[in-house]
Amino acid sequence: MTTPRIKGVLTPVVTPFHSNGAINVPLFIRQCQWLQDNHIGLAVFGTNSEANSLSPQERMEMLDALIEAGLAPARMMPGTGACDLPTAVQLTRKAVAHQCGGVLALPPFYYKGVSDDGLFRFFAELIEQVGDDALRVYLYHIPPVAQVGFSVELVERLLKAYPKNIAGMKDSTGDIAHTQTMLKHFAADGFDVFAGTETILLDTLRAGGAGCISATANVNAPAIHDLCQTWQQDDAPAKQQAMNDLRAIFQKYPMIPALKAAVAHWSGEDSWRHVRAPLVALDDAQAHALIQTLEEAGFSIEGLKS
């Protein structure tokens, strides 16, 4: 039986570390369980997961741990992109073996100015080496960071060559016009487009998008899921504005350390504040200011404490 397509809200799950830099796997599982309990899909090993600071072996072991803990793979979209093809193939095979709902694949981003022909060759070899019709690839378009992206012409070419495998895109341009362009060209072909931020979730859903993959769903899960379910109601614009206001608080700080500071505060697990080099955690004054601002805004995270 074919697994239903992933829709709705997903998040690049933040990765907890011990003070020595090792991954705190039990805490990771607990965060993922809280997210799934709140109807959030797991885009583990995304940008805000510090994925490019994790080794391939670490990522595979973390995915194994989630499956062993009983979390639902159909609502997982692990990041499996890499600059080298062998790593991308290895990570993607692992996700397919676990029957994950899809994989989120960065382009090979180290070399800049590469051609569409080169990118097509990379993804063609990825799909063919994995060699499984169950594989669903979601292209991770994040030119502000990767500086290498997916043109309309490249998406069209990939869809024509691999219609069973190219499933959609995470559009992290933050530009609703670009998201609408992708939907206009490819939605009719079953190509699902997720906004890369909840700040344009309502507009994305109105344009026929599949949902969003949002960093702040790590902390604001219930509200973002609620808008995704009620976007056709009259109060949807007000809900959208409330989410945008909350995200603006986090965006006053480096996003990953800020998310971790919030999770640490409301879970009671101070080790959540650890980040892996080259990132730097918020200092005590910054963390206090962030939490104070969030509480003054009436925000809290329910259910994180063990």
Short mmCIF file of all heavy atoms in Angstrom, two decimals, residues 178-240:
data_model
loop_
_atom_site.label_atom_id
_atom_site.label_comp_id
_atom_site.label_asym_id
_atom_site.label_seq_id
_atom_site.Cartn_x
_atom_site.Cartn_y
_atom_site.Cartn_z
N HIS A 178 7.57 33.54 -5.44
CA HIS A 178 8.31 32.38 -5.95
C HIS A 178 7.56 31.09 -5.64
O HIS A 178 7.46 30.19 -6.49
CB HIS A 178 9.71 32.33 -5.34
CG HIS A 178 10.56 31.23 -5.90
ND1 HIS A 178 10.59 29.96 -5.34
CD2 HIS A 178 11.39 31.20 -6.97
CE1 HIS A 178 11.42 29.20 -6.05
NE2 HIS A 178 11.91 29.93 -7.04
N THR A 179 7.02 31.00 -4.44
CA THR A 179 6.23 29.82 -4.08
C THR A 179 5.05 29.66 -5.02
O THR A 179 4.76 28.55 -5.50
CB THR A 179 5.74 29.95 -2.62
OG1 THR A 179 6.86 30.11 -1.76
CG2 THR A 179 4.94 28.73 -2.20
N GLN A 180 4.36 30.76 -5.31
CA GLN A 180 3.21 30.71 -6.21
C GLN A 180 3.63 30.31 -7.62
O GLN A 180 2.89 29.60 -8.31
CB GLN A 180 2.52 32.08 -6.22
CG GLN A 180 1.80 32.40 -4.91
CD GLN A 180 1.39 33.86 -4.81
OE1 GLN A 180 1.98 34.74 -5.45
NE2 GLN A 180 0.38 34.14 -3.99
N THR A 181 4.81 30.74 -8.05
CA THR A 181 5.31 30.36 -9.37
C THR A 181 5.51 28.85 -9.45
O THR A 181 5.13 28.21 -10.44
CB THR A 181 6.63 31.09 -9.68
OG1 THR A 181 6.38 32.49 -9.77
CG2 THR A 181 7.24 30.59 -10.99
N MET A 182 6.12 28.28 -8.42
CA MET A 182 6.34 26.83 -8.41
C MET A 182 5.00 26.08 -8.43
O MET A 182 4.84 25.08 -9.14
CB MET A 182 7.17 26.43 -7.20
CG MET A 182 8.64 26.81 -7.31
SD MET A 182 9.46 25.86 -8.63
CE MET A 182 11.01 26.76 -8.79
N LEU A 183 4.05 26.57 -7.67
CA LEU A 183 2.73 25.93 -7.65
C LEU A 183 2.03 26.06 -9.00
O LEU A 183 1.42 25.11 -9.49
CB LEU A 183 1.88 26.55 -6.54
CG LEU A 183 2.27 26.15 -5.12
CD1 LEU A 183 1.63 27.07 -4.10
CD2 LEU A 183 1.88 24.70 -4.84
N LYS A 184 2.13 27.22 -9.59
CA LYS A 184 1.48 27.44 -10.89
C LYS A 184 2.03 26.49 -11.95
O LYS A 184 1.27 25.94 -12.75
CB LYS A 184 1.68 28.89 -11.33
CG LYS A 184 1.08 29.22 -12.69
CD LYS A 184 1.35 30.67 -13.07
CE LYS A 184 0.82 30.98 -14.46
NZ LYS A 184 1.09 32.40 -14.84
N HIS A 185 3.33 26.27 -11.93
CA HIS A 185 3.95 25.44 -12.95
C HIS A 185 3.76 23.94 -12.69
O HIS A 185 3.62 23.17 -13.65
CB HIS A 185 5.45 25.75 -13.04
CG HIS A 185 5.77 26.95 -13.86
ND1 HIS A 185 5.78 28.22 -13.33
CD2 HIS A 185 6.09 27.08 -15.18
CE1 HIS A 185 6.10 29.09 -14.27
NE2 HIS A 185 6.29 28.42 -15.40
N PHE A 186 3.76 23.52 -11.41
CA PHE A 186 3.93 22.09 -11.15
C PHE A 186 2.89 21.44 -10.25
O PHE A 186 2.87 20.22 -10.14
CB PHE A 186 5.32 21.85 -10.55
CG PHE A 186 6.44 22.39 -11.39
CD1 PHE A 186 7.28 23.37 -10.89
CD2 PHE A 186 6.63 21.94 -12.68
CE1 PHE A 186 8.32 23.87 -11.67
CE2 PHE A 186 7.65 22.44 -13.48
CZ PHE A 186 8.51 23.41 -12.97
N ALA A 187 2.03 22.21 -9.60
CA ALA A 187 1.07 21.59 -8.67
C ALA A 187 0.17 20.58 -9.38
O ALA A 187 -0.18 19.53 -8.82
CB ALA A 187 0.23 22.66 -7.99
N ALA A 188 -0.18 20.87 -10.61
CA ALA A 188 -1.06 19.97 -11.36
C ALA A 188 -0.41 18.62 -11.63
O ALA A 188 -1.09 17.63 -11.89
CB ALA A 188 -1.48 20.62 -12.68
N ASP A 189 0.93 18.58 -11.54
CA ASP A 189 1.66 17.32 -11.75
C ASP A 189 1.87 16.56 -10.44
O ASP A 189 2.63 15.59 -10.41
CB ASP A 189 3.03 17.62 -12.38
CG ASP A 189 2.90 18.24 -13.77
OD1 ASP A 189 2.02 17.80 -14.53
OD2 ASP A 189 3.68 19.16 -14.08
N GLY A 190 1.22 17.03 -9.36
CA GLY A 190 1.37 16.37 -8.07
C GLY A 190 2.62 16.78 -7.33
O GLY A 190 3.07 16.07 -6.42
N PHE A 191 3.16 17.94 -7.67
CA PHE A 191 4.37 18.45 -7.04
C PHE A 191 3.95 19.32 -5.85
O PHE A 191 3.32 20.36 -6.02
CB PHE A 191 5.16 19.28 -8.06
CG PHE A 191 6.50 19.77 -7.61
CD1 PHE A 191 7.61 18.92 -7.61
CD2 PHE A 191 6.68 21.09 -7.22
CE1 PHE A 191 8.86 19.38 -7.23
CE2 PHE A 191 7.93 21.55 -6.84
CZ PHE A 191 9.02 20.70 -6.85
N ASP A 192 4.27 18.86 -4.63
CA ASP A 192 3.83 19.55 -3.42
C ASP A 192 4.86 20.59 -2.99
O ASP A 192 6.06 20.29 -2.88
CB ASP A 192 3.64 18.55 -2.28
CG ASP A 192 2.48 17.60 -2.53
OD1 ASP A 192 1.50 18.03 -3.16
OD2 ASP A 192 2.57 16.43 -2.11
N VAL A 193 4.40 21.80 -2.72
CA VAL A 193 5.29 22.88 -2.32
C VAL A 193 4.99 23.28 -0.87
O VAL A 193 3.84 23.59 -0.53
CB VAL A 193 5.15 24.10 -3.24
CG1 VAL A 193 6.10 25.21 -2.80
CG2 VAL A 193 5.46 23.71 -4.70
N PHE A 194 6.03 23.25 -0.06
CA PHE A 194 5.96 23.68 1.33
C PHE A 194 6.67 25.01 1.48
O PHE A 194 7.81 25.17 1.00
CB PHE A 194 6.64 22.67 2.27
CG PHE A 194 5.94 21.34 2.37
CD1 PHE A 194 6.17 20.35 1.43
CD2 PHE A 194 5.09 21.08 3.43
CE1 PHE A 194 5.54 19.11 1.53
CE2 PHE A 194 4.45 19.85 3.54
CZ PHE A 194 4.68 18.86 2.59
N ALA A 195 6.04 25.96 2.15
CA ALA A 195 6.74 27.19 2.49
C ALA A 195 7.83 26.87 3.50
O ALA A 195 7.68 25.99 4.35
CB ALA A 195 5.76 28.20 3.09
N GLY A 196 8.94 27.59 3.41
CA GLY A 196 10.03 27.38 4.34
C GLY A 196 9.91 28.17 5.62
O GLY A 196 10.81 28.13 6.47
N THR A 197 8.80 28.86 5.79
CA THR A 197 8.53 29.62 7.00
C THR A 197 7.03 29.72 7.20
O THR A 197 6.28 29.81 6.21
CB THR A 197 9.13 31.04 6.93
OG1 THR A 197 8.61 31.85 8.01
CG2 THR A 197 8.80 31.73 5.62
N GLU A 198 6.59 29.73 8.44
CA GLU A 198 5.16 29.86 8.71
C GLU A 198 4.65 31.27 8.46
O GLU A 198 3.44 31.50 8.45
CB GLU A 198 4.84 29.42 10.14
CG GLU A 198 5.12 30.42 11.24
CD GLU A 198 6.58 30.46 11.66
OE1 GLU A 198 7.45 29.92 10.92
OE2 GLU A 198 6.88 31.05 12.71
N THR A 199 5.55 32.24 8.25
CA THR A 199 5.10 33.61 8.05
C THR A 199 4.31 33.78 6.76
O THR A 199 3.58 34.77 6.61
CB THR A 199 6.30 34.59 8.03
OG1 THR A 199 7.20 34.22 6.98
CG2 THR A 199 7.02 34.56 9.38
N ILE A 200 4.45 32.85 5.81
CA ILE A 200 3.64 32.89 4.58
C ILE A 200 2.78 31.64 4.45
O ILE A 200 2.38 31.28 3.33
CB ILE A 200 4.52 33.09 3.33
CG1 ILE A 200 5.58 31.98 3.20
CG2 ILE A 200 5.17 34.47 3.33
CD1 ILE A 200 6.33 32.01 1.88
N LEU A 201 2.48 31.00 5.57
CA LEU A 201 1.71 29.77 5.53
C LEU A 201 0.32 30.00 4.94
O LEU A 201 -0.13 29.24 4.07
CB LEU A 201 1.59 29.16 6.93
CG LEU A 201 0.71 27.91 7.05
CD1 LEU A 201 1.17 26.80 6.12
CD2 LEU A 201 0.67 27.43 8.50
N LEU A 202 -0.38 31.02 5.40
CA LEU A 202 -1.74 31.26 4.92
C LEU A 202 -1.75 31.51 3.42
O LEU A 202 -2.56 30.93 2.69
CB LEU A 202 -2.36 32.44 5.67
CG LEU A 202 -3.80 32.81 5.29
CD1 LEU A 202 -4.74 31.61 5.45
CD2 LEU A 202 -4.29 34.00 6.13
N ASP A 203 -0.85 32.35 2.94
CA ASP A 203 -0.80 32.62 1.51
C ASP A 203 -0.42 31.37 0.71
O ASP A 203 -0.92 31.16 -0.40
CB ASP A 203 0.21 33.74 1.22
CG ASP A 203 -0.30 35.11 1.65
OD1 ASP A 203 -1.53 35.28 1.77
OD2 ASP A 203 0.53 36.02 1.84
N THR A 204 0.45 30.55 1.28
CA THR A 204 0.85 29.32 0.60
C THR A 204 -0.33 28.37 0.48
O THR A 204 -0.56 27.77 -0.59
CB THR A 204 2.01 28.65 1.35
OG1 THR A 204 3.15 29.53 1.35
CG2 THR A 204 2.40 27.33 0.71
N LEU A 205 -1.08 28.19 1.55
CA LEU A 205 -2.25 27.31 1.51
C LEU A 205 -3.30 27.84 0.54
O LEU A 205 -3.92 27.06 -0.20
CB LEU A 205 -2.83 27.15 2.91
CG LEU A 205 -1.94 26.41 3.91
CD1 LEU A 205 -2.51 26.52 5.32
CD2 LEU A 205 -1.77 24.94 3.52
N ARG A 206 -3.51 29.13 0.53
CA ARG A 206 -4.47 29.72 -0.40
C ARG A 206 -4.07 29.50 -1.85
O ARG A 206 -4.94 29.44 -2.74
CB ARG A 206 -4.63 31.21 -0.11
CG ARG A 206 -5.44 31.51 1.16
CD ARG A 206 -5.41 32.99 1.48
NE ARG A 206 -6.36 33.33 2.55
CZ ARG A 206 -6.43 34.53 3.13
NH1 ARG A 206 -5.60 35.51 2.75
NH2 ARG A 206 -7.32 34.76 4.08
N ALA A 207 -2.77 29.39 -2.10
CA ALA A 207 -2.29 29.18 -3.46
C ALA A 207 -2.24 27.70 -3.84
O ALA A 207 -1.84 27.37 -4.96
CB ALA A 207 -0.90 29.80 -3.61
N GLY A 208 -2.63 26.83 -2.91
CA GLY A 208 -2.63 25.40 -3.19
C GLY A 208 -1.43 24.65 -2.68
O GLY A 208 -1.20 23.49 -3.07
N GLY A 209 -0.66 25.27 -1.79
CA GLY A 209 0.52 24.62 -1.22
C GLY A 209 0.17 23.54 -0.23
O GLY A 209 -0.97 23.42 0.23
N ALA A 210 1.19 22.74 0.12
CA ALA A 210 0.98 21.57 0.98
C ALA A 210 1.11 21.88 2.46
O ALA A 210 0.66 21.10 3.29
CB ALA A 210 1.99 20.48 0.62
N GLY A 211 1.72 23.02 2.81
CA GLY A 211 1.92 23.36 4.22
C GLY A 211 3.21 24.13 4.39
O GLY A 211 3.60 24.91 3.50
N CYS A 212 3.89 23.93 5.51
CA CYS A 212 5.16 24.61 5.73
C CYS A 212 6.10 23.71 6.51
O CYS A 212 5.69 22.79 7.22
CB CYS A 212 4.97 25.94 6.45
SG CYS A 212 4.49 25.82 8.19
N ILE A 213 7.38 23.98 6.36
CA ILE A 213 8.44 23.33 7.13
C ILE A 213 9.14 24.45 7.87
O ILE A 213 9.92 25.20 7.28
CB ILE A 213 9.39 22.53 6.23
CG1 ILE A 213 8.61 21.50 5.42
CG2 ILE A 213 10.47 21.85 7.07
CD1 ILE A 213 9.45 20.74 4.39
N SER A 214 8.85 24.58 9.15
CA SER A 214 9.16 25.80 9.88
C SER A 214 10.03 25.54 11.11
O SER A 214 9.74 24.65 11.91
CB SER A 214 7.85 26.46 10.34
OG SER A 214 8.08 27.37 11.38
N ALA A 215 11.06 26.36 11.28
CA ALA A 215 11.92 26.26 12.45
C ALA A 215 11.14 26.42 13.74
O ALA A 215 11.32 25.66 14.70
CB ALA A 215 13.02 27.31 12.36
N THR A 216 10.26 27.43 13.79
CA THR A 216 9.60 27.74 15.05
C THR A 216 8.46 26.79 15.38
O THR A 216 7.88 26.87 16.46
CB THR A 216 9.08 29.20 15.06
OG1 THR A 216 8.35 29.46 13.87
CG2 THR A 216 10.24 30.17 15.17
N ALA A 217 8.16 25.84 14.47
CA ALA A 217 7.24 24.76 14.87
C ALA A 217 7.86 23.89 15.96
O ALA A 217 7.15 23.15 16.63
CB ALA A 217 6.87 23.90 13.67
N ASN A 218 9.17 24.01 16.17
CA ASN A 218 9.80 23.35 17.31
C ASN A 218 9.21 23.81 18.64
O ASN A 218 9.22 23.06 19.62
CB ASN A 218 11.31 23.65 17.33
CG ASN A 218 12.13 22.68 16.52
OD1 ASN A 218 12.32 21.53 16.91
ND2 ASN A 218 12.62 23.14 15.37
N VAL A 219 8.72 25.05 18.66
CA VAL A 219 8.24 25.62 19.92
C VAL A 219 6.78 26.06 19.84
O VAL A 219 6.08 26.06 20.86
CB VAL A 219 9.12 26.82 20.35
CG1 VAL A 219 10.52 26.36 20.71
CG2 VAL A 219 9.20 27.89 19.25
N ASN A 220 6.31 26.44 18.67
CA ASN A 220 4.95 26.98 18.50
C ASN A 220 4.07 25.99 17.74
O ASN A 220 3.22 26.39 16.94
CB ASN A 220 5.02 28.33 17.77
CG ASN A 220 3.76 29.15 17.96
OD1 ASN A 220 3.04 29.00 18.95
ND2 ASN A 220 3.49 30.04 17.01
N ALA A 221 4.27 24.72 18.00
CA ALA A 221 3.61 23.66 17.24
C ALA A 221 2.09 23.77 17.21
O ALA A 221 1.48 23.72 16.14
CB ALA A 221 4.05 22.30 17.77
N PRO A 222 1.42 23.89 18.36
CA PRO A 222 -0.05 23.89 18.31
C PRO A 222 -0.64 25.01 17.46
O PRO A 222 -1.59 24.79 16.70
CB PRO A 222 -0.45 24.03 19.78
CG PRO A 222 0.72 23.49 20.55
CD PRO A 222 1.92 23.91 19.75
N ALA A 223 -0.08 26.20 17.56
CA ALA A 223 -0.64 27.34 16.83
C ALA A 223 -0.45 27.20 15.32
O ALA A 223 -1.35 27.50 14.54
CB ALA A 223 -0.01 28.64 17.32
N ILE A 224 0.72 26.73 14.91
CA ILE A 224 0.98 26.59 13.48
C ILE A 224 0.12 25.48 12.89
O ILE A 224 -0.46 25.63 11.81
CB ILE A 224 2.48 26.37 13.22
CG1 ILE A 224 3.30 27.53 13.80
CG2 ILE A 224 2.75 26.23 11.72
CD1 ILE A 224 4.81 27.35 13.71
N HIS A 225 0.02 24.38 13.60
CA HIS A 225 -0.86 23.29 13.14
C HIS A 225 -2.30 23.77 13.06
O HIS A 225 -3.02 23.45 12.11
CB HIS A 225 -0.75 22.10 14.08
CG HIS A 225 -1.79 21.04 13.81
ND1 HIS A 225 -1.75 20.23 12.70
CD2 HIS A 225 -2.90 20.67 14.51
CE1 HIS A 225 -2.79 19.41 12.72
NE2 HIS A 225 -3.50 19.65 13.80
N ASP A 226 -2.73 24.55 14.04
CA ASP A 226 -4.11 25.03 14.06
C ASP A 226 -4.41 25.88 12.83
O ASP A 226 -5.46 25.71 12.18
CB ASP A 226 -4.36 25.85 15.33
CG ASP A 226 -5.76 26.45 15.35
OD1 ASP A 226 -6.74 25.67 15.36
OD2 ASP A 226 -5.88 27.69 15.35
N LEU A 227 -3.51 26.78 12.46
CA LEU A 227 -3.75 27.58 11.26
C LEU A 227 -3.81 26.70 10.02
O LEU A 227 -4.65 26.93 9.13
CB LEU A 227 -2.66 28.64 11.09
CG LEU A 227 -2.79 29.49 9.82
CD1 LEU A 227 -4.12 30.24 9.78
CD2 LEU A 227 -1.63 30.46 9.68
N CYS A 228 -2.97 25.68 9.98
CA CYS A 228 -2.97 24.79 8.82
C CYS A 228 -4.31 24.06 8.68
O CYS A 228 -4.72 23.73 7.57
CB CYS A 228 -1.82 23.79 8.95
SG CYS A 228 -1.28 23.10 7.38
N GLN A 229 -4.99 23.86 9.81
CA GLN A 229 -6.28 23.17 9.78
C GLN A 229 -7.45 24.13 9.57
O GLN A 229 -8.51 23.71 9.09
CB GLN A 229 -6.49 22.43 11.11
CG GLN A 229 -5.48 21.31 11.37
CD GLN A 229 -5.51 20.23 10.32
OE1 GLN A 229 -6.55 19.61 10.10
NE2 GLN A 229 -4.40 20.01 9.64
N THR A 230 -7.28 25.39 9.91
CA THR A 230 -8.41 26.33 9.92
C THR A 230 -8.19 27.52 8.98
O THR A 230 -8.81 28.57 9.15
CB THR A 230 -8.66 26.84 11.35
OG1 THR A 230 -7.51 27.58 11.80
CG2 THR A 230 -8.92 25.68 12.31
N TRP A 231 -7.32 27.36 7.99
CA TRP A 231 -6.91 28.50 7.17
C TRP A 231 -8.05 29.10 6.35
O TRP A 231 -7.96 30.25 5.91
CB TRP A 231 -5.77 28.10 6.25
CG TRP A 231 -6.11 27.04 5.24
CD1 TRP A 231 -6.04 25.69 5.40
CD2 TRP A 231 -6.53 27.25 3.88
NE1 TRP A 231 -6.41 25.03 4.26
CE2 TRP A 231 -6.71 25.96 3.30
CE3 TRP A 231 -6.77 28.37 3.10
CZ2 TRP A 231 -7.12 25.78 1.98
CZ3 TRP A 231 -7.19 28.19 1.79
CH2 TRP A 231 -7.35 26.93 1.23
N GLN A 232 -9.14 28.37 6.20
CA GLN A 232 -10.26 28.91 5.43
C GLN A 232 -11.27 29.68 6.29
O GLN A 232 -12.24 30.21 5.77
CB GLN A 232 -10.98 27.77 4.70
CG GLN A 232 -10.12 27.14 3.60
CD GLN A 232 -10.79 25.93 2.96
OE1 GLN A 232 -11.12 24.97 3.64
NE2 GLN A 232 -10.98 25.99 1.65
N GLN A 233 -11.03 29.73 7.57
CA GLN A 233 -11.95 30.43 8.47
C GLN A 233 -11.64 31.93 8.53
O GLN A 233 -10.54 32.38 8.17
CB GLN A 233 -11.89 29.81 9.87
CG GLN A 233 -12.35 28.36 9.91
CD GLN A 233 -12.31 27.75 11.29
OE1 GLN A 233 -12.07 28.43 12.28
NE2 GLN A 233 -12.56 26.45 11.35
N ASP A 234 -12.60 32.70 9.00
CA ASP A 234 -12.48 34.15 8.98
C ASP A 234 -11.35 34.68 9.87
O ASP A 234 -10.81 35.76 9.61
CB ASP A 234 -13.80 34.79 9.44
CG ASP A 234 -14.93 34.59 8.44
OD1 ASP A 234 -14.63 34.25 7.27
OD2 ASP A 234 -16.10 34.76 8.83
N ASP A 235 -11.02 33.92 10.93
CA ASP A 235 -9.99 34.42 11.85
C ASP A 235 -8.58 34.00 11.45
O ASP A 235 -7.61 34.26 12.16
CB ASP A 235 -10.27 33.94 13.28
CG ASP A 235 -10.27 32.43 13.42
OD1 ASP A 235 -10.25 31.73 12.39
OD2 ASP A 235 -10.31 31.95 14.57
N ALA A 236 -8.43 33.39 10.27
CA ALA A 236 -7.11 32.92 9.84
C ALA A 236 -6.09 34.06 9.72
O ALA A 236 -4.94 33.89 10.16
CB ALA A 236 -7.22 32.16 8.53
N PRO A 237 -6.44 35.23 9.15
CA PRO A 237 -5.43 36.30 9.08
C PRO A 237 -4.94 36.74 10.46
O PRO A 237 -3.74 37.04 10.62
CB PRO A 237 -6.18 37.43 8.36
CG PRO A 237 -7.21 36.72 7.53
CD PRO A 237 -7.66 35.58 8.39
N ALA A 238 -5.82 36.77 11.44
CA ALA A 238 -5.39 37.15 12.78
C ALA A 238 -4.45 36.10 13.37
O ALA A 238 -3.46 36.44 14.05
CB ALA A 238 -6.61 37.34 13.69
N LYS A 239 -4.73 34.83 13.11
CA LYS A 239 -3.84 33.77 13.57
C LYS A 239 -2.48 33.87 12.90
O LYS A 239 -1.44 33.68 13.53
CB LYS A 239 -4.47 32.40 13.30
CG LYS A 239 -5.69 32.08 14.15
CD LYS A 239 -6.27 30.72 13.78
CE LYS A 239 -7.47 30.37 14.65
NZ LYS A 239 -8.04 29.05 14.28
N GLN A 240 -2.50 34.19 11.60
CA GLN A 240 -1.24 34.35 10.87
C GLN A 240 -0.41 35.48 11.48
O GLN A 240 0.80 35.36 11.68
CB GLN A 240 -1.51 34.63 9.40
CG GLN A 240 -0.27 34.85 8.55
CD GLN A 240 0.55 33.59 8.37
OE1 GLN A 240 0.19 32.71 7.60
NE2 GLN A 240 1.66 33.49 9.09
#
